[in-house]
Amino acid sequence: MIRFEQVSKTYPGGQQALRQVNFHIAPGEMAFLTGHSGAGKSTLLKLISIMERPTVGRVMINGHDLNRIRRQQIPFIRRDIGMIFQSHQLLMDKSVFDNVALPLIIEGYSHKEVSKRVSAVLDRVGLSDKSRCLPIALSGGEQQRVGIARAVVNKPPLLLADEPTGNLDPKLSLEIIRLFEDFNQAGVAVLIATHDLGLIARMKYRTLTLKKGQMITDGLTEDWPGDDDESAI
Amino acid sequence: MSLLFKGRSQGAERTGISLPQRLVMFFISHVRQALASLGELWRNPAASMMTIAVLGLSITLPSTLYILLKNTERVSAGWDQASEITLFLHRDTQAGDIQQLQTRLKLWPEVESVVHIDKAQAMEEFQQLSGFGEALSYLDNNPLPDVLLVTPTSKHTSPTAAGLLLDKLRKEREVEVGQLDIQWLERLHGLVGIAKELVSVVALLLFLAVVLIIGNTIRLNILNKRDEILVMKLVGATDAFIQRPFLYTGFWYGLLGGLLAWVTVALLLWWMGDSISKVTQLYQTQFKVDGLHGQALLLMLGLSILLGLAGSLLSVHKHIRAIEPK
Ligand SMILES: Nc1ncnc2c1ncn2[C@@H]1O[C@H](COP(=O)(O)OP(=O)(O)O)[C@@H](O)[C@H]1O
Ligand SMILES: [Mg+2]
């Protein structure tokens, strides 16, 4: 589904964010991406959603080389990728319903279809009763669930989440991760970037670890050093 | 169709909607966006009114000048037909020769009629009208020449034909000076021509200013919506989709500005009506100023909308592209 081949990214300022990164995530797989702050997690996700381009190497989605994707095609790539951000990126002056409906309206769905799908997805993330609220009236966890609902409303085959639990307490974080597990079970590939090692330690998922832009471990959580090694990363 | 995933269709394709239905949906979504843009203008009336006023007034000036010029042309076109040639004869021409000349000229195919104004008769009139009265009677002899007024036939009243006739008349031995009464009209035509060019230049500059002003207004709108545009790009909106409401805003500015210009022009003409009719009375013409209607009105509205669209296109092209999620 996602394949990185010798990918390096150097920002215009000379900051090297990724160095020769290789990995592959299979269709329908769920994986965590971790590493200390500044290790290059966000950069890696941005290369997948073409918010940045690699300096060297190739990023492939489903066998398509993203280097070949032209600027005008980028919006159509993003329609295949559900993206979730720590800062939610919601429209604060639009209702929950309108926020979640946005990707469908952009894709030109009919009014009826939009209502049907948005209601269904809000039901799934447990926000049916908040559909007319403004995001500002919601708690942090609820806002994050609006973001997730918007990411999955057009049923993309791939979900990317950058620190989706960043501002949440452990209990809410776990709820969010359970939500991702639900979608994963429905066949969606999920890649979650987080530095919340405690959260990862409780799950048995493949974990990719970055350190100063290099991929240092790639394996199941079971084989992974664990909490007490946090300082070493 | 998805670029990355075969068989995954995006948007309306997936729901199996037929082409005509999709066209209807497309139309409805455009109308909805157009109305949304209008609503946006309505919610921010002060700023919108300013932009509309700038656009409207900038179009008013060249439109009014254009109408006045057009009407001047219309009036002077009517006067073209009344051309008359005045021949001043040599002072020493004998009455018999004048008689002969008059008869001869009457036979010319270009000439409709010839009227003789006797120099004694002219002197009398001059005495009466000028107010010099007594003073003139002290003159030893009459300084005024005999005058023949030649009216060309209707085929020879155009400025060029009448000009040719004048040249021919000047060659007559008895004629000292010949004058065409449409020479001043030609000068007027010349002036109108210059004025027209001036109006074109002024209009062009004003239109350019309008495009830039609208462009700048739309630029501010875009920057105000930066966050929203970023989010829309994140979830896969194309530039075309994002720019549509801004283009509609430009369209509304153009249409409303054009309507404002129409009203202003009508008011101006009404206000100037009195002074215009005073001038036209001097020339003893029944004359009513032709305002803006029919094609000219449509043209002005079309132009105004075009300017609004041009301004927003310019801005949208540059600034929406520049907003990219990072
Ligand atoms: N737009 C940018 N321009 C320059 N340097 C950047 C930019 N974004 C990130 N970086 C740098 O790249 C490195 C990796 O950043 P990032 O991918 O955000 O790490 P993480 O998400 O793991 O905290 C950091 O050193 C950061 O300072
Ligand atoms: Mg980050």
Side-chain angles (χ1 to χ4, degrees):
Chain A
M1 171 70 80
I2 305 173
R3 185 184 293 279
F4 273 54
E5 289 177 1
Q6 293 292 324
V7 174
S8 296
K9 171 69 186 177
T10 307
Y11 279 108
Q15 180 70 40
Q16 197 163 23
L18 290 177
R19 297 160 206 253
Q20 300 178 330
V21 172
N22 291 293
F23 70 92
H24 174 241
I25 289 176
E29 191 176 354
M30 175 150 160
F32 284 97
L33 176 65
T34 190
H36 59 82
S37 172
K41 306 182 292 294
S42 298
T43 302
L44 191 147
L45 294 186
K46 283 176 185 172
L47 291 179
I48 301 173
S49 54
I50 327 190
M51 285 155 75
E52 294 288 352
R53 299 278 194 173
T55 318
V56 185
R58 288 204 297 180
V59 178
M60 324 267 281
I61 299 182
N62 200 28
H64 295 268
D65 184 351
L66 294 189
N67 288 337
R68 298 249 173 83
I69 300 295
R70 283 177 285 117
R71 205 192 95 88
Q72 301 95 298
Q73 296 174 318
I74 294 176
F76 301 97
I77 303 298
R78 298 213 176 120
R79 292 175 191 186
D80 287 333
I81 305 173
M83 283 188 279
I84 293 132
F85 310 87
Q86 178 175 6
S87 53
H88 316 316
Q89 303 279 10
L90 301 177
L91 301 175
M92 286 305 172
D93 57 345
K94 298 260 160 66
S95 70
V96 167
F97 183 96
D98 289 343
N99 267 285
V100 176
L102 187 61
L104 300 179
I105 289 172
I106 285 169
E107 286 188 36
Y109 280 85
S110 72
H111 214 55
K112 219 172 82 194
E113 188 81 0
V114 169
S115 303
K116 205 175 87 190
R117 279 170 178 260
V118 172
S119 306
V121 78
L122 283 178
D123 201 35
R124 195 132 176 232
V125 300
L127 287 176
S128 312
D129 51 336
K130 307 272 180 175
S131 106
R132 291 285 141 222
C133 295
L134 290 180
I136 206 86
L138 304 181
S139 71
E142 286 169 333
Q143 286 185 15
Q144 193 54 281
R145 278 186 280 159
V146 176
I148 294 170
R150 186 184 63 191
V152 300
V153 73
N154 62 348
K155 302 193 175 142
L158 172 60
L159 268 185
L160 302 179
D162 195 357
E163 311 276 4
T165 62
N167 295 326
L168 305 178
D169 61 43
K171 184 170 163 289
L172 283 177
S173 299
L174 202 63
E175 277 177 29
I176 296 290
I177 299 297
R178 294 284 173 237
L179 211 47
F180 284 124
E181 284 183 317
D182 277 357
F183 291 117
N184 177 241
Q185 254 130 50
V188 181
V190 181
L191 180 59
I192 302 170
T194 179
H195 61 255
D196 186 350
L197 299 172
L199 185 71
I200 300 170
R202 272 173 275 162
M203 323 240 165
K204 301 236 181 302
Y205 285 108
R206 182 177 166 198
T207 301
L208 306 163
T209 308
L210 283 171
K211 183 178 183 183
K212 290 186 181 149
Q214 278 177 309
M215 190 74 78
I216 52 167
T217 55
D218 177 357
L220 289 176
T221 329
E222 287 169 310
D223 317 329
W224 191 69
D227 260 355
D228 39 33
D229 239 18
E230 188 170 348
S231 55
I233 294 169
Chain B
M1 240 344 228
S2 161
L3 291 173
L4 299 176
F5 299 94
K6 258 209 188 100
R8 174 179 141 78
S9 47
Q10 291 179 336
E13 313 158 5
R14 179 174 6 206
T15 44
I17 295 168
S18 69
L19 186 67
Q21 266 177 310
R22 230 184 286 168
L23 281 179
V24 169
M25 272 167 56
F26 182 77
F27 180 72
I28 289 176
S29 97
H30 267 268
V31 169
R32 199 175 284 150
Q33 276 182 318
L35 290 179
S37 293
L38 189 61
E40 196 102 340
L41 291 187
W42 189 250
R43 267 191 295 284
N44 202 347
S48 315
M49 275 316 293
M50 280 244 276
T51 309
I52 291 166
V54 166
L55 192 133
L57 298 182
S58 302
I59 293 175
T60 300
L61 180 59
S63 301
T64 311
L65 291 177
Y66 172 80
I67 288 171
L68 292 179
L69 280 176
K70 205 78 201 153
N71 280 292
T72 311
E73 271 187 334
R74 194 162 60 90
V75 171
S76 55
W79 290 338
D80 268 0
Q81 307 311 315
S83 65
E84 195 176 52
I85 296 169
T86 311
L87 300 177
F88 300 94
L89 306 182
H90 286 290
R91 202 95 34 87
D92 50 10
T93 317
Q94 299 304 309
D97 292 339
I98 296 173
Q99 202 69 47
Q100 264 185 6
L101 177 65
Q102 198 176 349
T103 332
R104 221 172 340 122
L105 292 184
K106 271 184 186 160
L107 294 176
W108 287 16
E110 302 98 319
V111 173
E112 174 80 41
S113 67
V114 183
V115 175
H116 178 211
I117 298 174
D118 191 276
K119 59 183 167 190
Q121 180 196 339
M123 187 63 183
E124 237 170 77
E125 264 176 38
F126 186 60
Q127 264 176 333
Q128 276 168 17
L129 293 174
S130 69
F132 288 117
E134 284 306 303
L136 287 173
S137 63
Y138 291 114
L139 289 173
D140 289 344
N141 48 19
N142 186 351
L144 295 178
D146 280 285
V147 170
L148 290 183
L149 296 178
V150 179
T151 310
T153 55
S154 57
K155 265 191 217 154
H156 295 85
T157 47
S158 72
T160 35
L164 288 175
L165 177 58
L166 174 64
D167 286 341
K168 209 168 145 193
L169 288 168
R170 274 181 181 147
K171 292 204 184 91
E172 291 298 318
R173 189 169 40 84
E174 298 86 346
V175 175
E176 184 169 24
V177 178
Q179 245 176 26
L180 196 56
D181 71 346
I182 56 166
Q183 269 169 352
W184 70 272
L185 213 61
E186 279 174 343
R187 279 184 210 126
L188 179 67
H189 280 313
L191 282 176
V192 168
I194 292 173
K196 257 183 172 170
E197 264 166 40
L198 214 66
V199 169
S200 308
V201 170
V202 167
L204 214 68
L205 289 176
L206 281 171
F207 292 167
L208 194 67
V210 164
V211 168
L212 294 178
I213 287 167
I214 301 255
N216 195 48
T217 308
I218 301 282
R219 181 182 70 90
L220 292 178
N221 286 355
I222 291 173
L223 293 185
N224 271 337
K225 298 218 160 183
R226 203 190 134 79
D227 291 343
E228 191 174 335
I229 291 171
L230 279 177
V231 170
M232 283 173 45
K233 288 204 172 182
L234 280 177
V235 297
T238 55
D239 284 3
F241 180 86
I242 296 171
Q243 72 191 29
R244 224 181 283 157
F246 296 103
L247 293 182
Y248 275 119
T249 304
F251 167 84
W252 288 119
Y253 279 144
L255 181 65
L256 294 173
L259 289 174
L260 176 68
W262 180 31
V263 172
T264 321
V265 168
L267 281 177
L268 269 178
L269 291 180
W270 170 78
W271 188 61
M272 294 192 304
D274 262 1
S275 41
I276 289 176
S277 63
K278 262 183 209 143
V279 171
T280 51
Q281 262 164 25
L282 282 181
Y283 292 88
Q284 297 171 332
T285 28
Q286 278 298 314
F287 172 68
K288 211 178 151 301
V289 175
D290 240 357
L292 261 187
H293 22 71
Q295 256 182 330
L297 175 62
L298 283 183
L299 193 78
M300 193 192 74
L301 285 180
L303 183 75
S304 176
I305 290 171
L306 213 70
L307 292 177
L309 278 178
S312 52
L313 252 173
L314 210 74
S315 196
V316 146
H317 216 75
K318 186 152 162 243
H319 298 290
I320 286 185
R321 210 190 158 96
I323 298 177
E324 276 296 336
K326 284 281 170 206

Short mmCIF file of all heavy atoms in Angstrom, two decimals, chain A residues 36-43 46 86 162-163 193 195, ligand 2:
data_model
loop_
_atom_site.label_atom_id
_atom_site.label_comp_id
_atom_site.label_asym_id
_atom_site.label_seq_id
_atom_site.Cartn_x
_atom_site.Cartn_y
_atom_site.Cartn_z
N HIS A 36 11.27 10.56 18.82
CA HIS A 36 11.20 11.79 19.61
C HIS A 36 10.73 12.95 18.74
O HIS A 36 10.67 12.85 17.51
CB HIS A 36 12.57 12.10 20.21
CG HIS A 36 13.62 12.27 19.16
ND1 HIS A 36 13.80 13.44 18.48
CD2 HIS A 36 14.53 11.40 18.67
CE1 HIS A 36 14.77 13.30 17.60
NE2 HIS A 36 15.23 12.06 17.69
N SER A 37 10.43 14.05 19.40
CA SER A 37 9.99 15.24 18.66
C SER A 37 11.11 15.70 17.73
O SER A 37 12.26 15.79 18.14
CB SER A 37 9.64 16.32 19.69
OG SER A 37 9.38 17.51 19.01
N GLY A 38 10.77 15.96 16.50
CA GLY A 38 11.77 16.40 15.53
C GLY A 38 12.44 15.24 14.80
O GLY A 38 13.36 15.46 14.01
N ALA A 39 11.98 14.01 15.04
CA ALA A 39 12.62 12.86 14.41
C ALA A 39 12.24 12.73 12.93
O ALA A 39 12.91 12.03 12.18
CB ALA A 39 12.22 11.58 15.16
N GLY A 40 11.15 13.36 12.55
CA GLY A 40 10.78 13.31 11.12
C GLY A 40 9.44 12.62 10.86
O GLY A 40 9.11 12.33 9.70
N LYS A 41 8.66 12.40 11.93
CA LYS A 41 7.38 11.69 11.75
C LYS A 41 6.42 12.49 10.85
O LYS A 41 5.86 11.94 9.89
CB LYS A 41 6.71 11.46 13.12
CG LYS A 41 7.58 10.75 14.15
CD LYS A 41 6.86 10.51 15.45
CE LYS A 41 6.54 11.80 16.22
NZ LYS A 41 7.75 12.50 16.70
N SER A 42 6.24 13.74 11.20
CA SER A 42 5.31 14.55 10.40
C SER A 42 5.80 14.65 8.96
O SER A 42 5.00 14.59 8.01
CB SER A 42 5.20 15.96 10.99
OG SER A 42 4.68 15.90 12.30
N THR A 43 7.10 14.82 8.80
CA THR A 43 7.65 14.91 7.45
C THR A 43 7.32 13.66 6.65
O THR A 43 6.90 13.75 5.49
CB THR A 43 9.18 15.10 7.53
OG1 THR A 43 9.46 16.27 8.30
CG2 THR A 43 9.78 15.22 6.16
N LYS A 46 3.80 13.77 5.58
CA LYS A 46 3.59 14.80 4.55
C LYS A 46 4.06 14.33 3.17
O LYS A 46 3.52 14.77 2.14
CB LYS A 46 4.33 16.09 4.93
CG LYS A 46 3.60 16.88 6.01
CD LYS A 46 4.40 18.09 6.43
CE LYS A 46 3.73 18.80 7.59
NZ LYS A 46 4.59 19.86 8.12
N GLN A 86 -3.23 16.65 14.83
CA GLN A 86 -3.32 16.97 16.25
C GLN A 86 -4.16 18.23 16.44
O GLN A 86 -4.98 18.31 17.35
CB GLN A 86 -1.92 17.20 16.82
CG GLN A 86 -1.94 17.57 18.28
CD GLN A 86 -0.53 17.69 18.84
OE1 GLN A 86 0.46 17.58 18.12
NE2 GLN A 86 -0.44 17.86 20.15
N ASP A 162 -1.56 12.23 12.41
CA ASP A 162 -0.36 12.84 12.98
C ASP A 162 -0.68 13.28 14.41
O ASP A 162 -1.41 14.24 14.60
CB ASP A 162 0.09 14.02 12.12
CG ASP A 162 1.51 14.46 12.46
OD1 ASP A 162 2.10 13.89 13.40
OD2 ASP A 162 2.01 15.38 11.78
N GLU A 163 -0.14 12.59 15.39
CA GLU A 163 -0.38 12.88 16.80
C GLU A 163 -1.88 13.05 17.10
O GLU A 163 -2.28 14.08 17.65
CB GLU A 163 0.35 14.17 17.22
CG GLU A 163 1.80 14.24 16.80
CD GLU A 163 2.74 13.53 17.77
OE1 GLU A 163 2.25 12.91 18.74
OE2 GLU A 163 3.95 13.57 17.54
N ALA A 193 1.16 8.44 13.55
CA ALA A 193 2.40 8.98 14.11
C ALA A 193 2.11 9.46 15.53
O ALA A 193 1.14 10.20 15.74
CB ALA A 193 2.91 10.13 13.26
N HIS A 195 4.20 10.23 19.62
CA HIS A 195 5.34 10.01 20.51
C HIS A 195 4.85 9.50 21.87
O HIS A 195 5.59 9.43 22.83
CB HIS A 195 6.19 11.28 20.65
CG HIS A 195 5.43 12.44 21.23
ND1 HIS A 195 5.01 13.49 20.47
CD2 HIS A 195 5.03 12.70 22.49
CE1 HIS A 195 4.36 14.36 21.22
NE2 HIS A 195 4.35 13.91 22.47
MG MG C 2 5.22 16.21 14.19
#
